[in-house]
PDB file of all heavy atoms in Angstrom:
ATOM      1  N   LEU B  12      51.630  39.010   3.258  1.00  0.00           N
ATOM      2  CA  LEU B  12      50.576  38.091   2.797  1.00  0.00           C
ATOM      3  C   LEU B  12      49.206  38.539   3.312  1.00  0.00           C
ATOM      4  O   LEU B  12      48.204  38.461   2.590  1.00  0.00           O
ATOM      5  CB  LEU B  12      50.884  36.662   3.247  1.00  0.00           C
ATOM      6  CG  LEU B  12      52.073  35.990   2.524  1.00  0.00           C
ATOM      7  CD1 LEU B  12      52.569  34.768   3.304  1.00  0.00           C
ATOM      8  CD2 LEU B  12      51.696  35.587   1.095  1.00  0.00           C
ATOM      9  N   ALA B  15      48.069  41.226   1.135  1.00  0.00           N
ATOM     10  CA  ALA B  15      47.608  40.672  -0.148  1.00  0.00           C
ATOM     11  C   ALA B  15      46.171  40.171  -0.020  1.00  0.00           C
ATOM     12  O   ALA B  15      45.322  40.446  -0.875  1.00  0.00           O
ATOM     13  CB  ALA B  15      48.530  39.552  -0.605  1.00  0.00           C
ATOM     14  N   ARG B  16      45.889  39.452   1.090  1.00  0.00           N
ATOM     15  CA  ARG B  16      44.522  38.931   1.302  1.00  0.00           C
ATOM     16  C   ARG B  16      43.517  40.070   1.426  1.00  0.00           C
ATOM     17  O   ARG B  16      42.403  40.003   0.900  1.00  0.00           O
ATOM     18  CB  ARG B  16      44.485  38.057   2.558  1.00  0.00           C
ATOM     19  CG  ARG B  16      44.878  36.623   2.279  1.00  0.00           C
ATOM     20  CD  ARG B  16      44.720  35.744   3.507  1.00  0.00           C
ATOM     21  NE  ARG B  16      45.867  34.856   3.596  1.00  0.00           N
ATOM     22  CZ  ARG B  16      46.914  35.044   4.392  1.00  0.00           C
ATOM     23  NH1 ARG B  16      46.966  36.085   5.223  1.00  0.00           N
ATOM     24  NH2 ARG B  16      47.913  34.191   4.368  1.00  0.00           N
ATOM     25  N   ALA B  19      42.663  41.477  -1.942  1.00  0.00           N
ATOM     26  CA  ALA B  19      41.694  40.622  -2.644  1.00  0.00           C
ATOM     27  C   ALA B  19      40.271  40.954  -2.208  1.00  0.00           C
ATOM     28  O   ALA B  19      39.355  41.037  -3.031  1.00  0.00           O
ATOM     29  CB  ALA B  19      41.999  39.150  -2.386  1.00  0.00           C
ATOM     30  N   PRO B  25      45.649  40.668  -5.663  1.00  0.00           N
ATOM     31  CA  PRO B  25      46.179  40.516  -4.299  1.00  0.00           C
ATOM     32  C   PRO B  25      47.695  40.385  -4.198  1.00  0.00           C
ATOM     33  O   PRO B  25      48.251  39.296  -4.253  1.00  0.00           O
ATOM     34  CB  PRO B  25      45.482  39.259  -3.790  1.00  0.00           C
ATOM     35  CG  PRO B  25      45.161  38.474  -5.009  1.00  0.00           C
ATOM     36  CD  PRO B  25      44.949  39.461  -6.120  1.00  0.00           C
ATOM     37  N   GLU B 136      52.243  30.355  -0.729  1.00  0.00           N
ATOM     38  CA  GLU B 136      51.021  30.973  -0.231  1.00  0.00           C
ATOM     39  C   GLU B 136      50.654  32.183  -1.109  1.00  0.00           C
ATOM     40  O   GLU B 136      49.476  32.376  -1.451  1.00  0.00           O
ATOM     41  CB  GLU B 136      51.225  31.417   1.222  1.00  0.00           C
ATOM     42  CG  GLU B 136      49.923  31.653   1.930  1.00  0.00           C
ATOM     43  CD  GLU B 136      50.091  31.731   3.451  1.00  0.00           C
ATOM     44  OE1 GLU B 136      51.154  31.316   3.969  1.00  0.00           O
ATOM     45  OE2 GLU B 136      49.156  32.235   4.106  1.00  0.00           O
ATOM     46  N   ALA B 137      51.639  32.979  -1.481  1.00  0.00           N
ATOM     47  CA  ALA B 137      51.395  34.145  -2.345  1.00  0.00           C
ATOM     48  C   ALA B 137      50.763  33.728  -3.666  1.00  0.00           C
ATOM     49  O   ALA B 137      49.809  34.346  -4.147  1.00  0.00           O
ATOM     50  CB  ALA B 137      52.705  34.894  -2.596  1.00  0.00           C
ATOM     51  N   SER B 138      51.270  32.633  -4.239  1.00  0.00           N
ATOM     52  CA  SER B 138      50.719  32.108  -5.502  1.00  0.00           C
ATOM     53  C   SER B 138      49.291  31.652  -5.337  1.00  0.00           C
ATOM     54  O   SER B 138      48.450  31.881  -6.212  1.00  0.00           O
ATOM     55  CB  SER B 138      51.521  30.890  -5.967  1.00  0.00           C
ATOM     56  OG  SER B 138      52.796  31.273  -6.352  1.00  0.00           O
ATOM     57  N   GLU B 139      49.028  30.969  -4.197  1.00  0.00           N
ATOM     58  CA  GLU B 139      47.672  30.457  -3.974  1.00  0.00           C
ATOM     59  C   GLU B 139      46.667  31.596  -3.829  1.00  0.00           C
ATOM     60  O   GLU B 139      45.543  31.510  -4.326  1.00  0.00           O
ATOM     61  CB  GLU B 139      47.639  29.545  -2.735  1.00  0.00           C
ATOM     62  CG  GLU B 139      48.020  28.112  -3.104  1.00  0.00           C
ATOM     63  CD  GLU B 139      48.509  27.282  -1.919  1.00  0.00           C
ATOM     64  OE1 GLU B 139      48.135  27.590  -0.767  1.00  0.00           O
ATOM     65  OE2 GLU B 139      49.304  26.341  -2.163  1.00  0.00           O
ATOM     66  N   ILE B 140      47.064  32.654  -3.144  1.00  0.00           N
ATOM     67  CA  ILE B 140      46.183  33.820  -2.989  1.00  0.00           C
ATOM     68  C   ILE B 140      45.838  34.398  -4.367  1.00  0.00           C
ATOM     69  O   ILE B 140      44.681  34.714  -4.663  1.00  0.00           O
ATOM     70  CB  ILE B 140      46.845  34.891  -2.087  1.00  0.00           C
ATOM     71  CG1 ILE B 140      46.969  34.374  -0.645  1.00  0.00           C
ATOM     72  CG2 ILE B 140      46.052  36.195  -2.109  1.00  0.00           C
ATOM     73  CD1 ILE B 140      47.867  35.230   0.264  1.00  0.00           C
ATOM     74  N   LEU B 141      46.824  34.504  -5.229  1.00  0.00           N
ATOM     75  CA  LEU B 141      46.596  35.026  -6.584  1.00  0.00           C
ATOM     76  C   LEU B 141      45.725  34.086  -7.410  1.00  0.00           C
ATOM     77  O   LEU B 141      44.789  34.519  -8.085  1.00  0.00           O
ATOM     78  CB  LEU B 141      47.944  35.259  -7.293  1.00  0.00           C
ATOM     79  CG  LEU B 141      48.680  36.536  -6.892  1.00  0.00           C
ATOM     80  CD1 LEU B 141      50.166  36.450  -7.220  1.00  0.00           C
ATOM     81  CD2 LEU B 141      48.067  37.769  -7.577  1.00  0.00           C
ATOM     82  N   LYS B 142      46.039  32.779  -7.320  1.00  0.00           N
ATOM     83  CA  LYS B 142      45.287  31.781  -8.095  1.00  0.00           C
ATOM     84  C   LYS B 142      43.810  31.790  -7.692  1.00  0.00           C
ATOM     85  O   LYS B 142      42.922  31.810  -8.535  1.00  0.00           O
ATOM     86  CB  LYS B 142      45.902  30.394  -7.866  1.00  0.00           C
ATOM     87  CG  LYS B 142      45.905  29.501  -9.090  1.00  0.00           C
ATOM     88  CD  LYS B 142      46.341  28.062  -8.765  1.00  0.00           C
ATOM     89  CE  LYS B 142      47.716  27.995  -8.104  1.00  0.00           C
ATOM     90  NZ  LYS B 142      48.012  26.664  -7.504  1.00  0.00           N
ATOM     91  N   ASP B 143      43.566  31.790  -6.368  1.00  0.00           N
ATOM     92  CA  ASP B 143      42.189  31.813  -5.860  1.00  0.00           C
ATOM     93  C   ASP B 143      41.442  33.060  -6.334  1.00  0.00           C
ATOM     94  O   ASP B 143      40.271  33.008  -6.693  1.00  0.00           O
ATOM     95  CB  ASP B 143      42.176  31.781  -4.326  1.00  0.00           C
ATOM     96  CG  ASP B 143      42.649  30.437  -3.781  1.00  0.00           C
ATOM     97  OD1 ASP B 143      42.789  29.484  -4.582  1.00  0.00           O
ATOM     98  OD2 ASP B 143      42.885  30.343  -2.560  1.00  0.00           O
ATOM     99  N   PHE B 144      42.145  34.184  -6.316  1.00  0.00           N
ATOM    100  CA  PHE B 144      41.524  35.449  -6.707  1.00  0.00           C
ATOM    101  C   PHE B 144      41.078  35.396  -8.167  1.00  0.00           C
ATOM    102  O   PHE B 144      39.936  35.722  -8.492  1.00  0.00           O
ATOM    103  CB  PHE B 144      42.524  36.590  -6.503  1.00  0.00           C
ATOM    104  CG  PHE B 144      42.027  37.937  -6.940  1.00  0.00           C
ATOM    105  CD1 PHE B 144      41.147  38.665  -6.140  1.00  0.00           C
ATOM    106  CD2 PHE B 144      42.436  38.497  -8.148  1.00  0.00           C
ATOM    107  CE1 PHE B 144      40.700  39.921  -6.529  1.00  0.00           C
ATOM    108  CE2 PHE B 144      41.983  39.757  -8.541  1.00  0.00           C
ATOM    109  CZ  PHE B 144      41.123  40.461  -7.736  1.00  0.00           C
TER     110      PHE B 144
END
Side-chain angles (χ1 to χ4, degrees):
Chain B
L12 289 163
R16 274 185 222 100
E136 198 165 344
S138 292
E139 274 159 25
I140 293 168
L141 281 159
K142 217 188 303 167
D143 291 349
F144 177 78

